């Protein structure tokens, strides 16, 4: 095991790592020691696309090679290191897009089922958003009922996945200048599935062998995620389950309860989690739990499903990605209920050290050794009850001597959807981003940064997120966050309004205090990064900050990324004009041409580009420098200088 201080900054995590060791239980932090990353694969220099390979084409560290030597450094088929690196990168984008979009498709199918009356237990919760969607899609409203509208909206959006021609309907939501860039480059996605299929085809042996051309498809495929699959998921989930508004809750393993049946819902799609939130409150189920000796039922979330039910119901969060096994190590977890994505296969092994039941619920994601209890949407309440009952039945198997729940839990405020930010800033009757834009223009807020994404066991858990966010808010950059990054921020106390006075620069603190918001805003799960696209577009449309997303004093980051979804998200931000910094490692580092293209060449084409910086402070400084560059281009850099020198204001606020 690596040194304690390099593993995590979270005391609950450190406590459970020690407990796992004492219990003789092998967890992700141990496996990271025994299984090191492959240095050639990590740099994108390995091609395994055909059986003549795998071909490994790394350049020895620090070696300068002659053109003749470079000619020889190829795969067996003649593929250059550039082609290999770009292919690998595009395949990551395709996998990430597929994951978000398959989620979006399932949501669209459930949405149609609700409208048809075939999926009981759910309803249309946000009528306003349904009407807005109907307008956006050109659906005739008239005096049609909500269910009629929902059926047509759902059917139209489901078709976005299989569309063969034209372009995705939500692209029209982007600023006009952005749409023109996409058209000029030929990267406006057609249907979501088509772009994923084409990406897989073009990366097959012997197809697209020009790295620039491969990366054009990377942009097109990623846009099918951000402005397609992910956006469809977010929009329809909001209509079905309600658009988030500010909600108070708590986070960390300390939300588990010693005297109740603890159930964690872990994964990504919110349909089951929504039903579990209802069923665990059912007096009959609570009575059943009491009959087994528990005082009640405690539902908590893990990973992005946690964000979904937190944002809409305030369900507490047990932890982020690297804490999933540790929740079992508490010895107090009756059931870990999972659906899809970011679920470690190691869960089953860890559960074998304790009494926890791992329950898979989705036919697309079974795990050997887990109990499979399929969640059937057309009988959702019954399915959810059966799962809760299985958890309750497991309560008597809990071994008291193995229970140690960390005390750590932190207060947080979540629920900052685009609509909420709009209302909070502008008021219900004049909802707008005007106050945000004005405060950026007058310099109180320097800019906006989206810090999102995973945990990665190769870096100190949560530390990279928190250090980066603190550096940004200290420099008056408002941070918006999703996914596991948002959870890191919440655990560190950055998601309460009081954090502004404690951690933010004077200008940002003043704005947060006036509006009553934290300096780091929780915008939801990873699919909800589409909310950030909408928020950025709203800022452009409100005026005064240029006429494209790439003009905004804004930047993005995923400083602890690990999943292919993160690459897809990063690419759709870059393709939408955002400067995006990734930490940990960079998957094309072994190839200078491709890396230069991603880090520099893309800026000329898209106005946004990638960067890699594992140090969170340096990463934040890169983002701030980019924000300042944009402020200068907009001619608003002088306003900020005046604010910076306003010492009286600083004194008043600290
Ligand atoms: O979609 S942030 S570890 S949980 S991939 Fe996964 Fe990364 Fe967490 Fe959610 Ni997103």
């Amino acid at each position: 095991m690596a040194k304690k201080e390099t593993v995590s900054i979270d005391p609950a995590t450190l406590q459970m790592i020690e407990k796992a060791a004492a219990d003789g239980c092998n967890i992700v932090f141990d496996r990271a020691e025994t299984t090191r990353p492959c240095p050639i694969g990590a740099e994108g220099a390995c091609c395994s696309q055909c059986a003549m390979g795998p071909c490994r084409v790394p350049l020895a560290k620090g070696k300068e090679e002659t053109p003749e030597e470079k000619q020889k450094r190829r795969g067996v088929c003649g593929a250059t290191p550039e082609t290999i690196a770009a292919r690998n990168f595009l395949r990551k984008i395709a996998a990430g897009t597929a994951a978000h979009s398959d989620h979006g498709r399932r949501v669209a199918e459930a949405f149609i089922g609700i409208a048809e009356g075939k999926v009981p237990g759910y309803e249309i919760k946000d009528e306003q958003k349904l009407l807005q969607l109907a307008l956006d899609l050109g659906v005739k409203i008239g005096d049609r009922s909500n269910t009629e509208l929902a059926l047509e909206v759902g059917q139209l959006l489901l078709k976005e996945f299989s569309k063969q021609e034209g372009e995705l309907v939500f692209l029209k939501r982007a600023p006009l200048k952005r749409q023109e860039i996409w058209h000029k480059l030929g990267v406006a996605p057609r249907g979501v599935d088509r772009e994923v299929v084409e990406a897989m085809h073009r990366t097959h042996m012997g197809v697209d062998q020009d790295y620039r051309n491969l990366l054009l498809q990377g942009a097109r495929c990623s846009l099918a995620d951000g402005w397609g699959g992910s956006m469809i998921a977010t929009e329809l989930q909001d209509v079905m389950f309600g658009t988030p508004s500010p909600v108070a809750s708590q986070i960390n393993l300390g939300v588990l309860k010693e005297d109740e049946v603890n159930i964690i819902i872990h994964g990504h799609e919110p349909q089951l989690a929504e039903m579990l939130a209802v069923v665990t409150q059912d007096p009959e189920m609570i009575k059943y739990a009491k009959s087994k000796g528990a005082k009640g039922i405690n539902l908590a979330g893990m990973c992005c499903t946690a964000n979904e039910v937190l944002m809409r119901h305030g369900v507490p969060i047990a932890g982020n990605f690297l804490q999933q096994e540790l929740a079992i190590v508490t010895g107090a977890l009756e059931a870990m209920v999972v659906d899809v994505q970011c679920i470690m296969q190691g869960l089953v092994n860890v559960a074998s050290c304790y009494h926890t039941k791992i329950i898979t619920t989705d036919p697309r994601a079974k795990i050997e050794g887990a109990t499979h209890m399929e969640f059937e949407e057309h009988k959702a309440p019954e399915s959810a009850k059966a799962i809760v009952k299985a958890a309750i039945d497991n309560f008597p198997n809990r071994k008291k001597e193995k229970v140690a729940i960390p005390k750590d839990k932190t207060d947080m405020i979540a629920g900052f959807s685009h609509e909420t930010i709009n209302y909070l800033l502008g008021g219900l009757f004049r909802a707008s981003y005007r106050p945000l834009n004005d405060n950026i223009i007058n310099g109180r807020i320097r800019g906006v940064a989206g810090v999102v994404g995973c945990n990665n066991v190769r870096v100190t858990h949560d530390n990279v997120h928190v250090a980066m966010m603190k550096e940004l808010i200290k420099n008056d950059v408002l941070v918006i966050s999703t996914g596991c990054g948002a959870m890191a921020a919440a655990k560190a106390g950055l998601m309460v309004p009081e954090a502004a006075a404690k951690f933010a620069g004077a200008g940002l603190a003043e704005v947060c205090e006036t509006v009553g918001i934290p300096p780091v805003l929780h915008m939801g799960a990873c699919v909800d990064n589409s909310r950030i696209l909408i928020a950025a577009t709203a800022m452009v449309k409100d005026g005064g900050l240029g006429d494209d997303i790439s003009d905004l004093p804004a930047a993005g980051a995923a400083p602890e990324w690990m999943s292919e979804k993160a690459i897809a998200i990063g690419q759709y931000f870059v393709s939408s004009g955002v400067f995006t910094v990734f930490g940990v490692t960079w998957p094309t580092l072994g190839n200078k041409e491709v890396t230069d293209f991603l880090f520099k060449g893309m800026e000329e084409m898209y106005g946004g580009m990638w960067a890699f910086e594992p140090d969170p402070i340096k990463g934040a400084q890169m983002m701030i420098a980019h924000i300042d560059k944009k402020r200068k281009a907009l001619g608003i850099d002088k306003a900020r200088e005046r604010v910076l020198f306003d010492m009286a204001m600083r004194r008043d606020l600290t």
Side-chain angles (χ1 to χ4, degrees):
M1 172 66 64
K3 274 201 195 128
K4 216 173 148 187
E5 58 275 16
T6 63
V7 171
S8 177
I9 57 164
D10 171 31
T13 296
L14 293 172
Q15 185 188 336
M16 287 302 98
I17 291 173
E18 274 182 15
K19 181 172 186 293
D23 292 345
C25 191
N26 187 271
I27 56 173
V28 56
F29 295 93
D30 303 311
R31 297 191 298 271
E33 290 298 306
T34 48
T35 307
R36 305 303 300 170
C38 162
I40 298 167
E43 294 191 337
C46 175
C47 180
S48 61
Q49 254 84 320
C50 85
M52 295 191 290
C55 297
R56 309 184 334 159
V57 292
L59 178 63
K61 285 273 170 291
K63 185 178 180 329
E64 289 289 324
E65 63 184 343
T66 63
E68 294 73 35
E69 283 169 331
K70 183 149 195 248
Q71 273 304 320
K72 288 185 198 145
R73 191 163 60 88
R74 288 171 178 247
V76 173
C77 71
T80 61
E82 289 73 53
T83 296
I84 291 171
R87 268 184 192 155
N88 288 332
F89 196 70
L90 176 50
R91 283 208 164 189
K92 286 191 198 309
I93 294 171
T97 301
H100 284 141
S101 299
D102 212 34
H103 170 164
R105 182 200 327 273
R106 280 292 298 269
V107 169
E109 285 170 347
F111 190 83
I112 291 169
I114 293 169
E116 288 174 337
K118 291 180 185 160
V119 177
Y122 303 101
E123 57 187 348
I124 302 298
K125 285 232 175 91
D126 188 341
E127 186 185 18
Q128 208 51 40
K129 193 148 188 173
L130 174 65
L131 292 173
Q132 186 57 52
L133 267 180
L135 281 175
D136 286 356
L137 297 170
V139 171
K140 204 172 130 259
I141 296 175
D143 55 1
R144 296 167 81 194
S145 69
N146 279 352
T147 44
E148 278 176 301
L149 290 177
L151 184 59
E152 193 172 339
V153 164
Q155 284 167 339
L156 282 173
L157 289 179
L158 186 61
K159 279 196 195 129
E160 291 292 280
F161 294 93
S162 57
K163 205 149 130 185
Q164 300 301 322
E165 288 169 1
E167 62 183 50
L168 293 178
V169 65
F170 283 154
L171 296 189
K172 293 218 167 14
R173 291 176 159 189
L176 281 177
K177 191 169 162 197
R178 182 55 31 189
Q179 294 180 46
E180 279 163 19
I181 291 169
W182 292 334
H183 291 146
K184 197 173 118 228
L185 293 170
V187 297
R190 296 152 294 183
V192 178
D193 295 353
R194 178 159 193 180
E195 302 312 346
V196 175
V197 168
E198 187 167 316
M200 294 308 288
H201 176 201
R202 282 164 68 161
T203 53
H204 183 274
M205 190 270 151
V207 187
D208 200 353
Q209 291 159 107
D210 174 336
Y211 76 85
R212 288 183 195 80
N213 206 39
L214 281 160
L215 294 174
L216 275 175
Q217 181 59 16
R220 180 155 60 173
C221 187
S222 71
L223 290 168
D225 177 349
W227 297 86
S230 282
M231 198 171 279
I232 291 170
T234 298
E235 294 291 273
L236 294 182
Q237 285 169 187
D238 280 355
V239 176
M240 279 194 276
F241 307 132
T243 301
S245 57
V247 61
S249 191
Q250 291 188 311
I251 181 165
N252 215 339
L253 292 169
V255 304
L256 297 179
K257 294 187 177 158
E258 209 150 312
D259 49 7
E260 297 194 10
V261 174
N262 288 307
I263 303 174
I264 284 183
I265 175 75
H266 168 26
H268 284 78
E269 295 178 2
Q271 294 93 305
L272 170 59
E274 284 283 329
M275 198 46 73
L276 284 177
V278 174
V279 164
T280 47
Q281 305 287 319
D282 184 331
E284 240 180 69
M285 298 309 286
I286 294 171
K287 199 171 151 201
Y288 186 61
K290 286 184 176 163
S291 78
K292 298 283 175 182
K295 287 211 170 119
I297 310 168
N298 180 38
L299 178 69
M302 181 71 71
C303 285
C304 279
T305 296
N307 286 328
E308 299 279 7
V309 278
L310 163 82
M311 293 282 282
R312 299 192 178 90
H313 305 289
V315 170
I317 296 186
N320 51 7
F321 177 69
L322 280 179
Q323 291 179 287
Q324 55 185 284
E325 293 176 338
L326 304 180
I328 300 171
V329 177
T330 62
L333 184 63
E334 275 55 59
M336 171 79 80
V337 183
V338 305
D339 60 1
V340 291
Q341 299 168 26
C342 303
I343 296 148
M344 290 191 191
Q345 189 164 358
L347 286 178
V348 171
N349 197 38
V350 178
S352 71
C353 304
Y354 305 91
H355 75 300
T356 308
K357 248 183 192 305
I358 305 297
I359 302 177
T360 55
T361 60
D362 191 297
R364 294 167 297 175
K366 295 189 179 180
I367 306 176
E368 207 182 331
T371 304
H372 188 72
M373 298 179 75
E374 200 138 318
F375 175 59
E376 296 177 63
E377 269 161 6
H378 63 278
K379 40 182 182 171
E382 290 84 351
S383 277
K385 274 185 187 167
I387 291 167
V388 173
K389 187 172 176 297
I392 296 171
D393 286 337
N394 198 24
F395 184 76
N397 297 327
R398 197 193 277 188
K399 297 199 176 47
K400 275 212 172 81
E401 67 281 7
K402 282 206 165 182
V403 175
I405 304 173
K407 299 228 171 333
D408 310 82
K409 53 182 170 180
T410 313
D411 291 336
M412 67 187 297
I413 307 282
F416 293 95
S417 57
H418 149 70
E419 291 80 356
T420 292
I421 296 173
N422 219 9
Y423 293 148
L424 278 177
L425 292 172
L428 188 58
F429 299 106
R430 52 184 175 86
S432 95
Y433 274 63
R434 195 66 252 154
L436 175 63
N437 284 19
D438 283 345
N439 277 304
I440 291 174
I441 292 164
N442 70 28
R444 280 194 190 89
I445 296 179
R446 192 177 198 149
V448 180
V451 182
V452 306
C454 323
N455 293 143
N456 188 316
V457 74
R458 301 297 174 193
V459 296
T460 307
H461 170 232
D462 286 352
N463 178 54
V464 195
H465 279 295
V466 173
M468 176 177 271
M469 290 185 203
K470 281 187 176 169
E471 182 69 11
L472 288 165
I473 60 177
K474 187 176 92 185
N475 284 284
D476 293 311
V477 176
L478 176 68
V479 172
I480 48 185
S481 189
T482 61
C484 292
M487 301 186 204
K491 281 186 277 173
L494 301 180
M495 286 191 165
V496 285
E498 305 81 68
K502 207 164 162 196
F503 299 108
L508 175 62
E510 186 190 18
V511 176
C512 289
E513 215 160 85
T514 309
V515 186
I517 55 172
V520 180
L521 301 180
H522 196 324
M523 288 192 89
C526 273
V527 285
D528 297 329
N529 282 315
S530 59
R531 295 191 200 279
I532 299 180
L533 296 176
I534 298 293
T537 302
M539 286 169 71
V540 172
K541 290 187 176 166
D542 226 285
L545 294 174
D547 51 7
D548 180 37
I549 294 172
S550 65
D551 296 331
L552 294 173
E560 294 185 29
W561 79 280
M562 65 87 203
S563 80
E564 291 167 312
K565 287 182 290 174
I567 292 287
I569 292 166
Q571 184 61 63
Y572 74 62
F573 273 105
V574 168
S575 312
S576 300
V578 181
F579 172 60
T580 304
V581 185
F582 269 37
V584 191
T585 180
W586 182 252
T588 68
L589 269 191
N591 189 275
K592 190 174 175 331
E593 284 83 346
V594 171
T595 303
D596 280 352
F597 181 75
L598 295 168
F599 290 8
K600 295 184 200 122
M602 278 203 165
E603 187 175 22
E604 283 155 39
M605 298 164 73
Y606 300 94
M609 69 289 202
W610 289 94
F612 166 59
E613 176 50 65
D615 180 312
I617 305 298
K618 286 186 191 157
Q621 288 300 338
M622 286 166 88
M623 294 159 84
I624 292 167
H626 180 82
I627 284 168
D628 286 350
K629 181 172 99 176
K630 293 296 170 181
R631 292 188 67 86
K632 195 163 185 214
L634 289 165
I636 56 173
D637 48 331
K638 298 285 177 289
R640 176 149 179 85
E641 279 168 25
R642 280 199 299 277
V643 169
L644 270 178
F645 287 108
D646 188 353
M647 295 310 287
M649 192 181 88
R650 270 178 178 260
R651 267 197 305 276
D652 287 342
L653 286 159
T654 49

